[in-house]
Amino acid sequence: MYKRNVQGWAKNIGFMLLDMICLQVVYIVSVYIRHSFFAYSYPLYKTMGINLILVDAIVLLFNDSMHEVLNRGYYIEIVETFKHSILVFAITTIYMFATQSGDAYSRIILFLTFIFHFLFGYLTRIICKIVVSKLGIKFEKQNNMLVVTSADEAEAILEKLSKDKTANYKITGVIFSDDSKIDNINGIPVVANLDSAADYIVREWVDSVYIDASISDKKVVELMDKCTLMAIPTHYHVKNFKHDEIKRFSEQLGGTTVLTTSISFASPFQLFIKRVFDIFAGIIGSIFALIIIAVVGPIIKSKSPGPILFAQERIGKNGKRFKMYKIRSMHIDAEDRKKELINENRVKDGMMFKLDFDPRIIGNEILPDGTKKTGIGEFIRKTSLDEFPQFFNVLGGSMSTVGTRPPTVDEYEKYHFHHRARMSVKPGITGMWQVNGRSEITDFEEVVKLDTTYIANWSLILDLKIIFKTIGVLFTHKGAM
């Protein structure tokens, strides 16, 4: 029976447990330095110790703090350790503030715990990586693996396979898919060709077979079939996918086994947490939206007849159309006048529409002396108050708190293939673009790059980071327009 390699955080569970132990040790030491007693002998500090375990586990899981830990260099490791410690420290501080228990604990203890966690956490990771990687220690028995490939590609394939420091296999032989007469590659013997491969496997110690050869070759397919009959696991290298950011995994669809590829994917639990957060944010945001509408609504009505709310058809996840709500900041005929102002668009390729001074905004006008006057419309746009009704969309499920900005129908019709990647997630009120320049970015390709970076690296922690950055942007009005 084949033991599948663990994926994601599970393959680094040893490092995760080590970090949690390290945090507990430095916490106990910090309490002792400050008060000269054992932390778990007092209920108050015992509770904090347990909370630290939970916070550390949450950050380790959702931030994927140990991703590629064995392959990270010293500098990257110190950065990742610092980021992890900062997140644990920040969430713990927020918890203390939310529960109004901050005054009961010594701030010196929390500060010492953070410093020691960073220093000793980093030192512990480095020592463990040296022990595990440099000394070649394996936590499970290595399986003997044969590699099937061509003579031309053998050296490159073997080099790639040997670079994985977490691998639980040992390459014991090479099988050529062509008629090459080479005896060995980098000291690894050539044990057979495609004609004799099955006979070799049936009588030798072989745990698995790695195949890097054309699937159109009947002999390759026959070898895979024979390996299946012998219950020998085969790993077929799919060459058509060359981008490292693409995620690939196999699953069952309609009783068939398929290879699924995607720029990113999330577990049902992660999506559940994101939706729960969206519902919570949607309720709070909708309350604020109603208050804002009650305050600015009459002013808008007095300056420009028409509805207070503006509903516009936008393109959502995977091309689904929906109505997005905003507080109306433009005159009723804004869309009709858009064609008249197309030459003033700051985004030259027309993929978005941005003006330095938009006369369609309520209160905006150019006086006879050339002075540009602004009013209520510009104010609610600068302060992003017009965006709050989008929390109605979040509550309804057509949008998320964090995502990519939904394009208008006419913008979407101009999309090229790689632009479509933006639409693979629910559109959001805020996102990577908004906190990295917003309307100051006039190159649509830069917007696409930021959005695809967000999608490829998505995590719940990243959403929280963007939300905190968004709050800063709202107060500074940076990039607002």
Side-chain angles (χ1 to χ4, degrees):
M1 182 180 292
Y2 174 63
K3 180 182 178 182
R4 186 180 180 184
N5 293 329
V6 291
Q7 304 294 316
W9 60 267
K11 64 182 179 181
N12 295 314
I13 194 167
F15 280 89
M16 294 170 66
L17 291 173
L18 195 64
D19 187 83
M20 295 170 71
I21 293 170
C22 179
L23 178 57
Q24 285 299 299
V25 170
V26 298
Y27 170 67
I28 291 170
V29 170
S30 299
V31 172
Y32 189 82
I33 290 174
R34 182 69 179 89
H35 293 304
S36 299
F37 59 68
F38 179 61
Y40 279 80
S41 62
Y42 285 81
L44 183 67
Y45 286 97
K46 180 180 179 181
T47 300
M48 178 53 72
I50 294 172
N51 287 335
L52 282 172
I53 293 175
L54 295 175
V55 170
D56 197 33
I58 290 170
V59 175
L60 284 165
L61 285 171
F62 292 129
N63 193 47
D64 202 5
S65 301
M66 297 300 175
H67 179 67
E68 294 292 331
V69 63
L70 284 174
N71 297 317
R72 296 195 301 226
Y74 292 108
Y75 172 73
I76 295 177
E77 193 60 64
I78 200 168
V79 171
E80 292 299 323
T81 306
F82 183 75
K83 285 166 57 179
H84 175 78
S85 298
I86 278 287
L87 283 171
V88 172
F89 176 77
I91 294 174
T92 304
T93 303
I94 292 170
Y95 163 79
M96 292 171 63
F97 175 78
T99 58
Q100 298 182 343
S101 59
D103 294 337
Y105 297 98
S106 168
R107 291 173 177 79
I108 294 176
I109 291 175
L110 192 60
F111 182 73
L112 287 175
T113 301
F114 162 67
I115 295 297
F116 290 155
H117 184 214
F118 167 59
L119 294 176
F120 289 104
Y122 175 71
L123 185 63
T124 302
R125 293 185 193 188
I126 294 300
I127 291 173
C128 285
K129 288 203 291 185
I130 291 173
V131 172
V132 173
S133 183
K134 300 296 183 181
L135 301 183
I137 294 177
K138 300 292 181 181
F139 293 103
E140 57 183 341
K141 186 177 179 180
Q142 288 184 302
N143 73 73
N144 287 353
M145 186 171 76
L146 295 181
V147 174
V148 179
T149 186
S150 65
D152 294 336
E153 298 186 14
E155 190 169 347
I157 288 295
L158 293 176
E159 184 180 355
K160 276 187 178 181
L161 292 172
S162 63
K163 281 184 178 179
D164 187 355
K165 297 176 183 178
T166 63
N168 67 333
Y169 53 76
K170 177 183 178 183
I171 301 173
T172 57
V174 176
I175 296 173
F176 281 146
S177 57
D178 49 32
D179 297 325
S180 178
K181 303 300 181 183
I182 301 174
D183 293 331
N184 71 84
I185 301 291
N186 296 338
I188 300 175
V190 177
V191 296
N193 55 32
L194 284 180
D195 292 323
S196 59
D199 291 332
Y200 175 86
I201 293 170
V202 77
R203 67 175 185 273
E204 297 293 337
W205 177 12
V206 176
D207 294 309
S208 63
V209 178
Y210 180 96
I211 300 176
D212 182 88
S214 175
I215 199 71
S216 61
D217 189 333
K218 292 183 179 179
K219 292 183 179 180
V220 172
V221 177
E222 288 175 2
L223 177 60
M224 294 174 70
D225 289 341
K226 289 177 180 177
C227 284
T228 301
L229 288 174
M230 292 184 281
I232 299 292
T234 59
H235 311 283
Y236 183 76
H237 177 206
V238 183
K239 293 184 177 182
N240 295 329
F241 307 109
K242 297 182 180 179
H243 300 290
D244 291 337
E245 66 269 17
I246 298 296
K247 276 71 173 183
R248 311 173 190 91
F249 53 94
S250 62
E251 57 182 341
Q252 294 288 320
L253 287 180
T256 65
T257 301
V258 296
L259 177 67
T260 301
T261 65
S262 176
I263 190 174
S264 184
F265 64 89
S267 68
F269 177 72
Q270 288 175 314
L271 293 177
F272 171 75
I273 295 297
K274 184 174 174 69
R275 182 56 186 152
V276 168
F277 179 83
D278 280 344
I279 292 173
F280 175 77
I283 293 172
I284 301 299
S286 295
I287 293 172
F288 276 103
L290 292 173
I291 295 172
I292 294 167
I293 291 169
V295 174
V296 304
I299 303 174
I300 293 172
K301 275 280 191 181
S302 66
K303 298 293 183 180
S304 175
I308 297 172
L309 287 183
F310 171 64
Q312 185 181 44
E313 189 173 49
R314 295 286 183 116
I315 307 298
K317 182 179 179 182
N318 294 330
K320 183 178 181 180
R321 301 191 178 202
F322 72 101
K323 292 288 185 181
M324 188 182 81
Y325 298 100
K326 297 180 74 173
I327 294 177
R328 186 168 63 88
S329 61
M330 291 187 173
H331 293 288
I332 295 295
D333 61 349
E335 281 299 311
D336 296 331
R337 295 173 62 188
K338 184 176 180 180
K339 296 177 181 178
E340 302 171 9
L341 302 166
I342 198 71
N343 292 331
E344 298 179 35
N345 187 7
R346 291 168 56 198
V347 186
K348 299 305 179 185
D349 57 11
M351 301 303 290
M352 297 187 297
F353 191 76
K354 302 291 178 184
L355 301 178
D356 288 321
F357 183 81
D358 196 336
R360 302 172 302 159
I361 296 175
I362 299 172
N364 279 13
E365 58 179 311
I366 301 176
L367 301 178
D369 62 357
T371 303
K372 294 177 179 178
K373 177 180 173 295
T374 60
I376 183 63
E378 192 71 28
F379 171 76
I380 65 174
R381 289 167 73 90
K382 283 282 188 183
T383 55
S384 298
L385 296 179
D386 61 325
E387 308 281 358
F388 272 84
Q390 289 167 44
F391 281 106
F392 301 152
N393 291 111
V394 172
L395 201 55
S398 58
M399 291 182 67
S400 180
T401 310
V402 182
T404 61
R405 289 303 291 159
T408 59
V409 175
D410 61 318
E411 290 170 350
Y412 186 66
E413 289 173 349
K414 300 173 185 175
Y415 272 22
H416 300 301
F417 292 123
H418 66 290
H419 298 153
R420 179 62 167 68
R422 301 183 67 238
M423 316 311 299
S424 63
V425 296
K426 276 187 183 181
I429 295 178
T430 186
M432 194 75 84
W433 168 49
Q434 287 86 340
V435 299
N436 286 279
R438 202 177 172 185
S439 293
E440 292 176 358
I441 299 176
T442 59
D443 184 356
F444 183 65
E445 293 301 330
E446 183 65 22
V447 174
V448 174
K449 183 179 179 181
L450 288 169
D451 284 340
T452 51
T453 297
Y454 164 75
I455 297 168
N457 297 282
W458 179 83
S459 69
L460 294 170
I461 294 295
L462 179 58
D463 274 4
L464 289 176
K465 289 179 182 177
I466 290 174
I467 289 170
F468 284 127
K469 284 187 177 181
T470 301
I471 295 171
V473 170
L474 287 175
F475 281 109
T476 60
H477 309 315
K478 183 180 179 181
M481 187 172 177

